[in-house]
Amino acid sequence: MPTVTIDGRSIEVEKGTTILEAAKQIGIDIPHYCYHPGLRIAGSCRMCLVEIEGVPKLQIACYTPVTDGMVVHTQSEKVKEARRAVLEFLLVDHPLDCPVCDQAGECYLQIYYMQHGLHPSRVREDKLKRAKMKVLSEHIILDQERCILCSRCVRFTEEVTKSYELGIFHRGDRSVVDLYPGIQLHNRYQGNLADICPVGALTDRQFRFRTRVWYLEHAKSVCPGCSRGCNVFVDYNVRRGYKAGGRRIVRLRPRPNPWVNKYWMCDDGRYGFTWIEALDRILAPRRAEGGQLREISWSEAIRHAAQWITEAAREKRLAVLLSPKMTNEELYTADRLFRSLGARMIGYWAEPSSPGYEDEILIRGDKNPNTAGAHWIVGRASGIPQEDHLARLAEAMEAGQVDTAVIFLHDVEGAKAGERVLRALQRVERLIYLGTNWNRTATLSKLVFPATAFVEQDGTFTNFEGRVQRFWRAVEPLGQARPILSILRELAVACSVEPLPEDPEEVFALLALEHPFFSGMDYDRLGERGMRGQLEAPVEVRVK
């Protein structure tokens, strides 16, 4: 392997590694615009010029591979002057609209100008004007004035989505990024264009003018939109009040993971988080009285639930329907609690998806983040195929074998046999629902518990390939919502069953000891990118 010296520091790297990537490995940031690790190298912006001993001209670090014995300087006067010249060139026609630009605070024209420019403008004539606020789609707006022609967006539509909507047109200082004639921006990964644009040329319409990025905090998480489990950043606004209908969660962005989503995420996951703070969030425990769901205290709700559950379990008339939207820790705790009580039925059900909706990039047909975890924790223990659980539950309720049912996070109205199940649920004497938002199942329930959303708790999901991944809490729960682990612990105490911890890390340690698939795992080993299970990866359940 070749050894290269960069700014006096030596490093041994794999053959074919570029200077830019080699520098990154030792913490040296070489400025760049057109380079992106998920796209082919264009070498067009010239911002990453470096000086190589023995080479008369400056070379671009993004494209030049290291050779053994190479000596590179990234901070020589010759390099600094070249960077200033490139920045001056890029800013010749750039509008001075930083105060109203959404990219302000994370714009690499701003950042690099402060680090490498700080030159006075020599331009006296009017700047060349181009199109502003050109709507490309329901998600993306283009400001051609701000574009520096890095071509990242063009390469993304050519190489990743292969939809070929964008191109660079005209020549010289008249060149612009635009849609091909007669073509619309119509792919399911549009939000990535705003992510990869290094300036404010392509901006996200849903984020536009919502807040300044310096008001945001960031939490590492996993998208719950499908069984892929894309790694994401949750950007939340620390200045807003915690209330339903507010905007604490401002946006989701992809978090790089080469084994899961690389550098991207789909628009379904990116824009599908509004339910977290929707007006239909369940904010307090409620009990059915006089035909209405009346708000009650947590202690009263736990007392009623424990009484109903223990009585039904004693008579083998208790059924439990878990959800692949629950975390591994919640599934394990719930399964263990209700099995120890002697429930008649314990199962899970994966909600159906649109046929043919998945693609070859990221999107999966299974719209649950933890179907694989439910398979290993619940499904293998019961020996019943997951698609049969809902039908068996309906049959048991219709036959009068079940008079108490506990349902987690499900709106069974979306099931293929949803109407049949809903009719059966209306015959159940005591229906308990734990969930985040109001739905048909919740309104039919006799007792409702408000549960936290994924951004309001810690936990893990197992994706369709068997990779177990952590996510971290971003914000406090809305209203009186509590984590399902906390609710289950209180129920266990009230039912006189030895409770499991409510700390997710402690529960996961117990899960890893009991279930071979999770053997050898803990939160530290999972880290930010997760681990594959110890057995063969489970086959993704095809939801019919």
Side-chain angles (χ1 to χ4, degrees):
M1 293 195 300
T3 299
V4 60
T5 301
I6 305 174
D7 292 345
R9 299 169 61 184
S10 295
I11 182 176
E12 189 177 53
V13 296
E14 295 287 339
K15 185 178 180 180
T17 304
T18 63
I19 295 172
L20 190 149
E21 287 295 334
K24 190 185 298 184
Q25 292 180 31
I26 54 176
I28 296 175
D29 179 35
I30 298 177
H32 57 277
Y33 288 116
C34 65
Y35 173 79
H36 189 282
L39 303 172
R40 63 176 170 82
I41 297 172
S44 61
C45 75
R46 322 308 283 183
M47 190 65 194
C48 65
L49 288 167
V50 295
E51 187 174 5
I52 303 174
E53 289 188 5
V55 179
K57 293 184 178 180
L58 299 181
Q59 302 295 310
I60 51 174
C62 67
Y63 188 78
T64 307
V66 302
T67 58
D68 194 41
M70 178 183 283
V71 178
V72 180
H73 301 285
T74 71
Q75 298 296 327
S76 67
E77 286 305 315
K78 193 175 180 181
V79 170
K80 291 179 180 179
E81 181 56 35
R83 289 175 184 164
R84 281 192 291 268
V86 170
L87 283 167
E88 184 176 16
F89 174 75
L90 293 175
L91 289 166
V92 163
D93 287 319
H94 197 83
L96 298 177
D97 57 359
C98 296
V100 297
C101 178
D102 270 319
Q103 198 76 4
E106 51 188 8
C107 171
Y108 280 90
L109 267 179
Q110 288 180 338
I111 294 168
Y112 289 158
Y113 177 78
M114 297 304 295
Q115 293 177 348
H116 308 288
L118 295 178
H119 55 271
S121 174
R122 293 183 287 178
V123 178
R124 293 294 178 264
E125 68 273 14
D126 290 338
K127 294 175 180 287
L128 184 65
K129 301 297 188 293
R130 299 182 178 87
K132 287 192 70 66
M133 293 184 290
K134 185 172 184 177
V135 176
L136 299 188
S137 70
E138 69 272 26
H139 297 308
I140 299 296
I141 281 184
L142 169 63
D143 280 273
Q144 289 178 339
E145 287 188 334
R146 301 172 183 169
C147 179
I148 62 172
L149 299 174
C150 69
S151 78
R152 283 185 178 186
C153 56
V154 176
R155 284 175 283 151
F156 179 82
T157 60
E158 291 176 352
E159 301 164 28
V160 180
T161 64
K162 294 181 171 58
S163 48
Y164 300 96
E165 297 106 332
L166 296 172
I168 297 178
F169 301 90
H170 309 303
R171 294 184 179 183
D173 65 351
R174 305 285 171 172
S175 298
V176 292
V177 165
D178 208 342
L179 293 169
Y180 280 100
I183 300 285
Q184 292 184 333
L185 183 60
H186 188 64
N187 65 67
R188 293 187 283 178
Y189 297 86
Q190 297 174 27
N192 295 284
L193 295 172
D195 293 336
I196 63 177
C197 182
V199 294
L202 292 167
T203 50
D204 189 324
R205 294 181 68 182
Q206 277 69 26
F207 178 73
R208 192 175 173 92
F209 304 137
R210 292 288 184 181
T211 186
R212 287 301 195 180
V213 297
W214 47 80
Y215 295 143
L216 300 180
E217 296 289 342
H218 319 285
K220 301 179 180 70
S221 193
V222 173
C223 176
C226 79
S227 60
R228 172 74 62 179
C230 291
N231 291 204
V232 299
F233 288 108
V234 176
D235 292 348
Y236 57 97
N237 195 334
V238 296
R239 290 162 55 90
R240 287 186 177 270
Y242 294 166
K243 60 180 181 180
R247 287 280 297 191
R248 292 182 304 165
I249 309 302
V250 178
R251 64 180 178 181
L252 301 185
R253 294 179 294 123
R255 179 165 57 94
N257 189 328
W259 294 286
V260 181
N261 56 303
K262 296 182 181 177
Y263 303 91
W264 324 117
M265 70 181 297
C266 74
D267 291 342
D268 290 349
R270 183 186 297 269
Y271 303 114
F273 64 88
T274 54
W275 60 270
I276 297 171
E277 289 163 336
L279 292 174
D280 65 355
R281 272 295 296 270
I282 303 172
L283 301 178
R286 291 181 180 270
R287 183 188 178 194
E289 290 183 3
Q292 293 185 334
L293 284 164
R294 183 179 65 84
E295 183 175 330
I296 59 176
S297 67
W298 267 102
S299 58
E300 187 179 353
I302 292 293
R303 185 174 70 254
H304 284 299
Q307 179 183 347
W308 295 355
I309 288 170
T310 51
E311 289 177 0
R314 190 182 309 118
E315 299 173 3
K316 294 295 181 182
R317 299 173 69 84
L318 173 66
V320 179
L321 185 64
L322 303 176
S323 169
K325 296 184 185 299
M326 297 167 67
T327 67
N328 291 311
E329 296 81 359
E330 292 166 350
L331 288 166
Y332 171 71
T333 302
D335 184 69
R336 185 161 158 174
L337 168 62
F338 292 112
R339 288 192 191 283
S340 65
L341 287 169
R344 181 186 185 89
M345 299 176 60
I346 302 174
Y348 73 100
W349 167 67
E351 296 178 22
S353 60
S354 302
Y357 192 73
E358 64 183 21
D359 62 24
E360 296 180 356
I361 305 174
L362 294 176
I363 299 173
R364 307 297 302 178
D366 179 5
K367 296 305 176 185
N368 302 282
N370 203 24
T371 302
H375 166 77
W376 288 109
I377 298 169
V378 182
R380 287 169 66 90
S382 68
I384 302 173
Q386 67 89 22
E387 58 267 26
D388 292 342
H389 284 302
L390 200 60
R392 288 174 179 245
L393 176 61
E395 291 172 5
M397 291 187 294
E398 289 169 347
Q401 298 170 347
V402 169
D403 65 5
T404 302
V406 184
I407 297 181
F408 290 78
L409 299 177
H410 277 304
D411 182 8
V412 296
E413 189 173 22
K416 187 175 181 180
E419 287 303 320
R420 176 192 175 190
V421 176
L422 288 171
R423 287 195 301 269
L425 287 175
Q426 294 177 42
R427 300 175 59 180
V428 173
E429 182 179 342
R430 297 173 293 199
L431 177 59
I432 303 171
Y433 180 76
L434 292 85
T436 58
N437 297 67
W438 288 102
N439 55 43
R440 186 79 179 277
T441 310
T443 56
L444 288 175
S445 300
K446 301 300 189 293
L447 198 57
V448 177
F449 289 92
T452 51
F454 74 104
V455 297
E456 298 166 343
Q457 64 183 63
D458 297 324
T460 61
F461 291 136
T462 305
N463 79 350
F464 78 103
E465 294 178 312
R467 180 171 291 275
V468 182
Q469 302 185 103
R470 285 189 67 183
F471 57 90
W472 288 259
R473 187 175 74 173
V475 293
E476 294 292 327
L478 275 179
Q480 299 180 42
R482 294 184 184 180
I484 289 178
L485 286 181
S486 175
I487 301 172
L488 291 172
R489 180 178 173 82
E490 291 192 43
L491 282 175
V493 171
C495 293
S496 301
V497 174
E498 183 180 356
L500 290 179
E502 60 180 298
D503 178 61
E505 186 171 4
E506 295 180 26
V507 175
F508 189 83
L510 297 173
L511 170 64
L513 289 175
E514 184 172 327
H515 287 267
F517 180 78
F518 300 91
S519 177
M521 296 184 187
D522 58 41
Y523 272 20
D524 289 336
R525 290 178 182 175
L526 291 181
E528 296 183 6
R529 293 183 171 178
M531 290 176 61
R532 287 286 294 268
Q534 297 303 307
L535 302 178
E536 72 279 4
V539 177
E540 183 182 19
V541 177
R542 295 289 178 176
V543 183
K544 300 179 181 179

